[in-house]
């Protein structure tokens, strides 16, 4: 800091004031220099002032080599705008070149020289950076896909792939699917099952039974009405063959099972209130009635008191043939 | 998660969080904000009452030294680092909002903040947390000399030494840069604020008059210089005469200001000389050939380049638009960080 006090500007005769713009002498230059390059204008200005490169370099604190490059318009090594613009500007002002010409040259340099691009050195490559940056996220995505997609696929395909028409209620299936083909005198008509029966072998035994909210097979009056002609036909067939007739009249809904001597179920299921059924058979019948209080039983037209065969409210008895006559017997 | 979502609607920004001014560079838009780092706080219902931000930036600076009892103007940055964490956060939040036009969502940009190279880990952490508190999604830090060099257009990636001197409001940073890294750096807590202080002290000592910060800054901007001038400029100012206690007008000239600035300028020159002494010889030779580049608002002080050139014997050039070099350099660095990660310029 002391030097600024002891050496004020212009004190050293060798030094020209770098910031002194008063001595603009470009008008005094030969006219042909205006058309020449800026480097040659610098040289002409320097020679017109009688300065040498060394004194200019000393005043500007720049290497003589750089000044020589500027005068010969060879800017290799100093081609960045920040340096080149500063060197040319200060050198030209030092030589007293016209300020307008300096500004024009600086503007040209600014236009020509793009700012240096930022270049990554010594670091990781862009691809590796991206890999490191997104590897974790990609791992999470892949793991999620591996776990979640199969679960969703199983969930969707495992349920929707099944044909809903194959479902059968657990509580009705035995009656309609098992007994209907075998029996001849059953009162239960094969009303709800033609399609099921056709499909049943195709499904295979592996098809699980599933609980369903589907309504119970229609055992109401319509079914019964539809069943009556078929039942009558069955009864007629049985009567022709001989045997006894078991009549069942239900004032209340009751679960009923009727099995003949061969083990064939003639009836198995819940019958609604008001049901009247007759079973003809030449063989003994095992009868089980779940709600004995609401049921009336007759054998060959003779009413049978169920009290003797009841345990709680369940009546269980056998219709036997003794001397050609059907009689009830306890079990 | 919500910050990430909001980040989709936010622009990446680079902030030159300076002691005197805060500049914000938005990627793709350039410098969009240049405001003083000043916050005005209103405190109603006496001490202990609720505090609210009354004004930020230019408006707050206009209030500086002219506020009533319930309003206080605060400069949250001091010597290049955070002096008031809450106020810094409020100021950043205000500036981030200001540069985002959308009012639907609170902006959550990625932010690159320039920090002095002499700042401590604690100070850097404070700046980072302050920016995060202001809503930033990710915060990167870059040292100011590096950002200044990039903004000035210095080819920092070359295997050649370049010296940059960034004179800010609170600190001056000198650094030698090569291969995208800082080889040597030194930070001195001398900057524009110290210049103002020096002028205030000079006027009090030699004119017996007390002047404010704003007046001192006006003196500096209008007739301040770092090297003896051939034409002496004068300015008429007013202040409170300490002997009489009443306002008085008086005149101060540029030579007096030069004398006032002698001490802080000596600190800067000493830092540059120390850096040259510490620089490895190969890089020192590069610096001798290329010269020193001045950036920062302090570089606008008249003939500062000439002073440093005389003192060091090196060529000195002032960068184009030196005030915005740091913010512009930060914006460019953001792009490189986006491509290669934050390991290049931002040691934490």
């Amino acid at each position: 800091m002391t030097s600024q006090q002891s050496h004020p500007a212009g004190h050293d005769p060798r030094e020209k004031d770098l910031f002194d713009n008063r001595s603009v002498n470009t008008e005094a230059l030969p006219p042909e220099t205006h058309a020449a390059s800026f480097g040659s204008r610098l040289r002409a200005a320097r020679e017109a002032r009688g300065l040498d490169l060394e004194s200019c370099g000393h005043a500007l604190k720049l290497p003589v080599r750089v000044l020589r490059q500027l005068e010969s318009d060879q800017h290799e090594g100093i081609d960045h705008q920040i340096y080149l613009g500063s060197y040319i500007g200060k050198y030209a002002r030092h030589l007293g070149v016209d300020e307008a010409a300096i500004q024009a040259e600086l503007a040209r340099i600014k236009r020509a020289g793009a700012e240096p691009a930022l270049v990554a050195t010594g670091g990781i490559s862009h691809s590796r950076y991206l890999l490191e940056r997104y590897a974790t996220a990609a791992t999470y995505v892949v793991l999620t896909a591996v776990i979640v997609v199969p679960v969703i696929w199983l969930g969707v395909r495992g349920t929707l792939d099944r044909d809903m028409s194959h479902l059968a209620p657990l509580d009705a299936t035995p009656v309609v699917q098992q007994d209907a083909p075998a029996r001849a005198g059953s009162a239960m008509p094969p009303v709800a099952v033609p399609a099921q029966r056709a499909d049943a072998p195709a499904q295979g035994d592996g098809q699980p039974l599933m609980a369903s909210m589907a309504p119970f097979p229609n055992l109401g009056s319509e079914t019964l009405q539809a069943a009556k002609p078929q039942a009558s036909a069955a009864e007629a067939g049985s009567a022709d063959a001989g045997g006894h007739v078991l009549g069942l009249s239900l004032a209340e809904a009751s679960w009923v099972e009727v099995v003949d001597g061969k083990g064939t179920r003639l009836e198995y299921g819940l019958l609604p209130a008001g049901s009247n059924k007759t079973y003809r058979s030449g063989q003994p019948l095992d009868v089980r009635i779940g709600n004995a209080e609401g049921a009336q039983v007759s054998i060959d037209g003779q009413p049978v008191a169920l009290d003797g065969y009841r345990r709680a409210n369940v009546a269980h008895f056998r219709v036997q043939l003794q001397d050609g006559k059907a009689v009830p017997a306890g079990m | 998660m919500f910050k990430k979502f909001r980040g989709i609607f936010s622009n990446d920004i680079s902030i030159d969080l300076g002691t005197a001014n805060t500049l914000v560079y938005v990627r793709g838009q350039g410098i969009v904000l240049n405001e003083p780092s000043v916050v005005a706080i209103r405190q109603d219902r006496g001490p202990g009452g609720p505090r609210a931000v009354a004004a930020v930036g230019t408006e707050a600076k206009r209030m500086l030294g002219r506020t009533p009892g319930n309003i206080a103007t605060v400069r949250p940055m001091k010597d290049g680092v955070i002096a008031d964490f809450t106020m810094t956060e409020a100021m950043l939040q205000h500036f981030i909002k200001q540069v985002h036009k959308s009012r639907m969502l609170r902006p959550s940009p990625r932010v690159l903040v320039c920090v002095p190279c002499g700042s401590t880990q604690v100070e850097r952490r404070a700046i980072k947390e302050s920016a995060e508190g202001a809503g930033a999604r990710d915060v990167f830090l870059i040292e100011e000399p590096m950002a200044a060099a990039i903004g000035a257009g210095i080819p920092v990636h070359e295997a050649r030494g370049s010296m940059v001197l960034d004179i800010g409001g609170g600190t001056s940073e000198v650094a030698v840069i090569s291969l995208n890294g800082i080889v040597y750096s030194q930070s001195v807590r001398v900057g524009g604020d110290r210049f103002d202080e020096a002028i205030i002290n000079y006027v009090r000592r030699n004119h017996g008059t007390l002047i404010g910060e704003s007046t001192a800054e006006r003196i500096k901007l209008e007739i301040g210089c770092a090297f003896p001038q051939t034409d002496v400029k004068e300015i008429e100012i007013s202040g409170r005469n300490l002997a009489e206690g009443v306002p008085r007008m008086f005149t101060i000239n540029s030579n007096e200001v030069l004398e006032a600035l002698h001490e802080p300028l000596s600190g800067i020159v000493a830092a540059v000389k120390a850096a040259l002494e510490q620089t490895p010889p190969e890089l020192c030779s590069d610096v001798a050939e290329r010269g020193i580049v001045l950036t920062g608002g302090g570089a606008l002080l008249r003939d500062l380049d000439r002073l440093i050139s005389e003192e060091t014997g090196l060529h000195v050039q002032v960068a184009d638009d030196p005030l915005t070099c740091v913010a512009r350099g930060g914006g460019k660095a953001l792009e490189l960080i986006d491509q290669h990660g934050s390991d290049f310029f931002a040691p934490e």
Side-chain angles (χ1 to χ4, degrees):
Chain A
M1 283 302 297
T2 53
S3 64
Q4 82 177 48
Q5 305 297 338
S6 57
H7 300 290
H11 181 74
D12 186 349
R14 285 199 310 157
E15 285 189 16
K16 299 293 178 185
D17 190 349
L18 312 186
F19 302 87
D20 183 8
N21 298 328
R22 290 173 300 172
S23 53
V24 179
N25 62 350
T26 50
E27 298 304 321
L29 294 174
E32 61 270 16
T33 57
H34 287 284
S37 68
F38 198 78
S40 55
R41 288 184 68 176
L42 290 173
R43 181 184 293 119
R46 179 175 58 79
E47 288 170 355
R49 283 195 150 207
L51 298 170
D52 59 355
L53 282 173
E54 284 74 20
S55 63
C56 291
H58 180 76
L60 292 169
K61 315 266 186 317
L62 278 174
V64 174
R65 178 179 56 80
V66 171
L67 299 183
R68 199 171 288 124
Q69 276 184 283
L70 294 179
E71 288 188 356
S72 57
D73 291 317
Q74 292 174 343
H75 301 154
E76 290 82 15
I78 50 170
D79 47 355
H80 295 295
Q81 190 254 324
I82 173 79
Y83 296 117
L84 184 59
S86 172
Y87 297 165
I88 286 181
K90 285 197 173 175
Y91 188 33
R93 286 188 188 104
H94 176 63
L95 298 174
V97 176
D98 184 22
E99 184 65 26
I102 297 172
Q103 292 301 330
E105 179 65 9
L106 292 180
R108 190 192 65 78
I109 292 168
K110 202 168 186 176
R111 280 195 304 274
E115 288 193 352
L118 280 179
V119 181
T121 53
I124 56 173
S125 67
H126 182 51
S127 54
R128 185 167 173 190
Y129 164 67
L130 289 177
L131 181 69
E132 288 182 358
R133 183 176 176 182
Y134 296 112
T136 311
T139 306
Y140 282 128
V141 168
V142 169
L143 284 176
T144 306
V146 165
I147 295 168
V148 171
V149 169
V151 168
I152 292 175
W153 185 82
L154 281 175
V156 172
R157 298 297 300 268
T159 54
L160 297 183
D161 195 33
R162 298 180 178 193
D163 187 355
M164 293 300 289
S165 63
H166 296 169
L167 295 177
L170 286 172
D171 43 4
T173 301
V175 175
V176 294
Q177 287 190 341
Q178 295 180 8
D179 298 342
R183 69 174 175 255
S186 171
M188 196 63 197
V191 281
V193 293
Q196 296 174 4
R197 196 180 303 160
D199 292 339
Q203 291 174 34
D205 295 336
Q207 183 68 39
L209 288 175
M210 299 185 70
S212 170
M213 293 300 290
F216 192 79
N218 195 350
L219 297 177
S221 57
E222 291 176 7
T223 308
L224 293 173
Q225 292 297 328
K228 270 180 183 175
Q230 298 178 28
S232 303
E235 288 166 8
S238 298
D240 292 343
H244 57 87
V245 177
L246 172 68
L248 180 61
S249 176
L250 296 176
E252 298 172 9
S254 174
W255 183 86
V256 177
E257 182 184 21
V258 181
V259 182
D260 66 7
K262 295 178 182 173
T264 304
R265 280 176 173 165
L266 302 181
E267 186 65 72
Y268 183 83
L270 185 68
L271 300 183
S275 299
N276 290 301
K277 293 207 168 192
T278 55
Y279 305 93
R280 291 178 183 277
S281 175
Q283 296 175 359
L285 296 174
D286 284 343
V287 181
R288 198 185 299 265
I289 300 171
N291 185 7
E293 282 187 355
Q296 289 185 346
V297 177
S298 63
I299 298 174
D300 292 335
Q302 298 297 318
V304 177
L306 296 176
D307 295 339
Y309 312 110
R310 277 175 58 179
R311 181 176 297 171
N313 198 24
V314 178
H316 189 192
F317 61 95
R318 169 172 286 186
V319 180
Q320 291 181 333
L321 295 171
Q322 289 181 354
D323 302 332
K325 190 180 178 182
V327 291
M331 294 185 69
Chain B
M1 181 177 173
F2 287 115
K3 273 189 173 181
K4 279 193 176 177
F5 174 72
R6 294 201 310 266
I8 299 170
F9 304 98
S10 307
N11 299 318
D12 292 348
I13 59 177
S14 153
I15 299 178
D16 174 12
L17 191 58
T19 310
N21 292 294
T22 296
L23 286 87
V24 178
Y25 176 98
V26 177
R27 204 166 155 194
Q29 296 178 30
I31 303 280
V32 294
L33 185 138
N34 181 359
E35 299 228 18
S37 305
V38 184
V39 182
I41 300 294
R42 179 190 297 277
Q43 187 164 27
D44 294 324
R45 292 181 234 160
R51 299 172 74 192
V53 175
V56 178
T58 311
E59 198 184 340
K61 193 180 181 186
R62 228 176 278 134
M63 300 178 182
L64 208 61
R66 299 186 175 96
T67 52
N70 65 332
I71 297 179
T73 47
V74 180
R75 299 185 68 171
M77 304 293 291
K78 189 171 169 55
D79 294 337
V81 293
I82 290 180
D84 187 329
F85 187 86
T86 314
M87 290 303 112
T88 306
E89 195 173 306
M91 184 177 74
L92 280 177
Q93 201 167 4
H94 178 85
F95 289 151
I96 290 173
K97 262 189 193 170
Q98 203 170 328
V99 300
H100 284 87
K101 291 183 176 64
S102 169
R103 301 283 181 231
M104 293 288 287
L105 287 171
R106 196 161 68 93
S108 181
R110 291 193 313 165
V111 174
L112 182 139
V113 187
C114 308
V115 294
C117 56
S119 56
T120 62
Q121 290 284 331
V122 176
E123 289 164 343
R124 290 179 189 209
R125 174 69 65 182
I127 288 174
K128 198 169 184 178
E129 287 185 2
S130 177
E132 282 170 352
R137 182 167 90 251
D138 291 316
V139 181
F140 307 107
L141 301 180
I142 183 171
E143 291 181 332
E144 276 176 8
M146 176 58 83
I150 296 168
I154 296 172
V156 293
H157 66 278
E158 285 185 355
R160 291 186 71 187
S162 309
M163 181 175 271
V164 62
L165 172 60
D166 178 50
I167 303 170
T171 57
S172 293
E173 326 256 337
V174 57
V176 178
I177 292 167
S178 174
L179 289 169
N180 279 344
I182 293 177
V183 179
Y184 173 84
S185 70
Q186 192 181 356
S187 178
V188 286
R189 304 215 163 181
V190 178
D193 288 351
R194 284 289 300 276
F195 295 167
D196 296 345
E197 256 177 55
I199 292 172
I200 291 171
N201 291 337
Y202 179 86
V203 170
R204 191 176 59 213
R205 200 167 50 243
N206 294 279
H207 292 266
T209 306
L210 195 63
I211 58 171
E213 282 179 28
S214 303
T215 309
E217 190 178 9
R218 191 159 64 89
I219 293 169
K220 179 182 71 179
L221 294 177
E222 292 190 15
I223 62 168
C225 59
F227 202 79
Q229 303 291 299
T230 49
D231 53 334
V232 178
K233 291 182 181 176
E234 289 186 343
I235 184 173
E236 193 177 41
I237 53 168
S238 63
R240 181 159 54 87
N241 189 290
L242 290 170
E244 299 171 14
V246 291
R248 284 278 179 268
M249 298 286 287
F250 65 99
T251 304
I252 188 169
N253 64 40
S254 55
N255 282 339
E256 287 179 290
V257 178
L258 175 64
E259 194 182 336
L261 296 179
H262 180 263
E263 188 192 339
L265 288 172
S266 299
I268 294 173
V269 170
V272 174
K273 284 182 175 173
L276 288 169
E277 284 172 12
Q278 299 293 324
T279 305
E282 286 297 330
L283 294 174
C284 207
S285 139
D286 294 338
V287 172
E289 194 167 310
R290 285 181 150 183
I292 303 169
V293 178
L294 292 190
T295 64
L300 294 170
L301 186 68
R302 195 171 296 111
D303 282 346
L304 181 59
D305 55 338
R306 192 172 177 182
L307 169 70
I308 295 171
S309 180
E310 291 294 331
E311 290 291 330
T312 58
L314 298 175
H315 183 78
V316 177
Q317 51 249 333
V318 180
D320 291 341
D321 197 6
L323 203 62
T324 63
C325 275
V326 173
R328 281 188 286 123
K332 282 188 196 172
L334 253 182
E335 292 171 13
L336 200 62
I337 286 171
D338 201 31
Q339 290 178 353
H340 298 280
S342 59
D343 302 333
F344 286 93
F345 304 118
E348 192 184 336

